[in-house]
Amino acid sequence: MIYLIELGAHTGTTAVTLRVATASYVTRPTDTPANASFLGRVADPGNFEAFLFSAGKTGGASEVGYGEIVINNPDGKFDAWINYGFDGRPIRIYAIADAFAPFSAATLVFRGSIEQIVTARALKQFRFRIYDRRLDIDKPLQTVVYAGTTTSAGATAEGNVDLKDQVKPLIFGRVFNVPLVCVNVFNLIYQGSASALTGMLVYDGGVPLTYTSDYATIAALNAATLVPGKYASCLAQGIIRLGGKPQYAVTADCTEGATAASRSAAQIVKRMLTRMGMTTADYVDATFTALDTLNAAECGIFLDGEVTALDAMQRVLASVGGYIAPNTLGQFEVGRLSAPGTPVATLTE
């Protein structure tokens, strides 16, 4: 068995793919990629560990799995690598039967990300620390902040200077008693989520206010005629406007997602993956359907700070005892660890 490794890197001017293996291998002219050389310099293809949750646990937050690959460089052929950029670049590891097998027969056994390249032996040996694809979503889910430019009356909702650079809130699913952010004190405009909502029931100190109508834009919302005790919305931007100055704290019960079915833990996590730039090729949709079958309860989460997507997903999945983890193809799967059923065999001493 030969392990073939493709390392993504940036030379400073262009992105490149570097290829090494546990034994020298060259792809055929009919392969994709064609005539690609994998130099046999891998001393250790690495030990990789990953857990659904964390080591020794059957619940809670999962951890990003990691491993290390060792590559020999006795003749200095790879010396230039020390100046390349590897942080966050992709890595793929394939297994193939022998040097004569076509590359199409190789099996992808790992797809992940590179943390960094390390050398402690005067460039004679490199070590690559690698992570599974959870590292790709272990990044802030929300990066949009308030500009702090709403310093006078008008159809704007960027908050005053006190809100400048504060992360805008996000809502997924259905949540209750959300503290609304006053994003325009002059026109009494408040925001519950920077993403689109499907409903907002607003309260002034716990007392429900009367809803009037929804408007497509902030400009139309700002131009609407309202009286005290009533409010209107711009659900496309998660915003409401009051008809009069509130007496107490303004809160709301907020709903995101068109139907109750779209507010299950699995469907919320799928939308979070989409927000992180993932496509249907990056996750196994059947596992989300299967988790819905196990638990399709309506749930939700309110995020009012810088939270990583992985953390937010784990919070949502924890409500149904679920997990998220990438498979060997680097595709995200969700599931739930359940009690074992009837044993198929009993082993005794």
Side-chain angles (χ1 to χ4, degrees), residues 269-292:
V269 168
K270 189 187 295 186
R271 289 199 293 280
M272 288 180 176
L273 285 172
T274 300
R275 185 177 180 86
M276 293 301 293
M278 303 295 169
T279 67
T280 53
D282 293 303
Y283 58 82
V284 182
D285 194 60
T287 65
F288 291 82
T289 301
L291 184 57
D292 272 339

Side-chain angles (χ1 to χ4, degrees), residues 49-257:
E49 295 184 351
F51 305 92
L52 292 183
F53 303 105
S54 57
K57 303 291 185 180
T58 56
S62 65
E63 297 177 349
V64 176
Y66 66 89
E68 192 174 75
I69 294 172
V70 181
I71 298 175
N72 287 329
N73 183 39
D75 56 1
K77 186 176 181 62
F78 302 147
D79 283 0
W81 289 15
I82 200 67
N83 296 314
Y84 289 0
F86 289 97
D87 185 17
R89 297 284 169 175
I91 179 173
R92 290 179 173 84
I93 302 177
Y94 300 87
I96 196 165
D98 54 54
F100 304 102
F103 188 68
S104 58
T107 301
L108 180 65
V109 295
F110 178 78
R111 178 188 175 194
S113 301
I114 306 170
E115 183 200 25
Q116 62 181 348
I117 181 175
V118 177
T119 178
R121 294 181 56 190
L123 302 181
K124 297 301 182 183
Q125 190 177 78
F126 292 132
R127 293 177 179 269
F128 287 89
R129 191 168 176 82
I130 60 175
Y131 288 99
D132 68 36
R133 289 203 70 201
R134 275 176 287 200
L135 187 67
D136 294 341
I137 57 174
D138 196 17
K139 301 173 182 176
L141 182 62
Q142 170 66 306
T143 58
V144 182
V145 299
Y146 288 110
T149 54
T150 301
T151 55
S152 61
T156 62
E158 288 296 331
N160 57 23
V161 292
D162 292 336
L163 282 181
K164 181 176 172 58
D165 296 329
Q166 180 175 311
V167 176
K168 293 185 178 182
L170 277 181
I171 288 173
F172 291 89
R174 191 176 183 189
V175 293
F176 301 92
N177 201 34
V178 173
L180 301 187
V181 181
C182 185
V183 292
N184 187 328
V185 67
F186 308 97
N187 297 85
L188 300 178
I189 297 176
Y190 292 76
Q191 187 167 38
S193 176
S195 58
L197 300 177
T198 54
M200 295 179 74
L201 300 177
V202 182
Y203 305 86
D204 180 357
V207 178
L209 303 179
T210 302
Y211 178 66
T212 58
S213 58
D214 184 62
Y215 296 87
T217 65
I218 295 179
L221 175 65
N222 189 58
T225 300
L226 295 172
V227 297
K230 295 188 177 183
Y231 72 97
S233 65
C234 175
L235 292 176
Q237 298 193 44
I239 282 173
I240 61 98
R241 176 173 162 243
L242 301 180
K245 185 176 181 180
Q247 298 299 309
Y248 303 101
V250 180
T251 60
D253 298 337
C254 300
T255 303
E256 180 269 345

Side-chain angles (χ1 to χ4, degrees), residues 4 6 24 104 109 143 153 165 193 206 216 229 258 306 315-316 329:
L4 310 175
E6 292 184 331
S24 294
S104 58
V109 295
T143 58
D165 296 329
S193 176
E306 189 174 286
R315 290 190 205 177
V316 173
L329 299 179

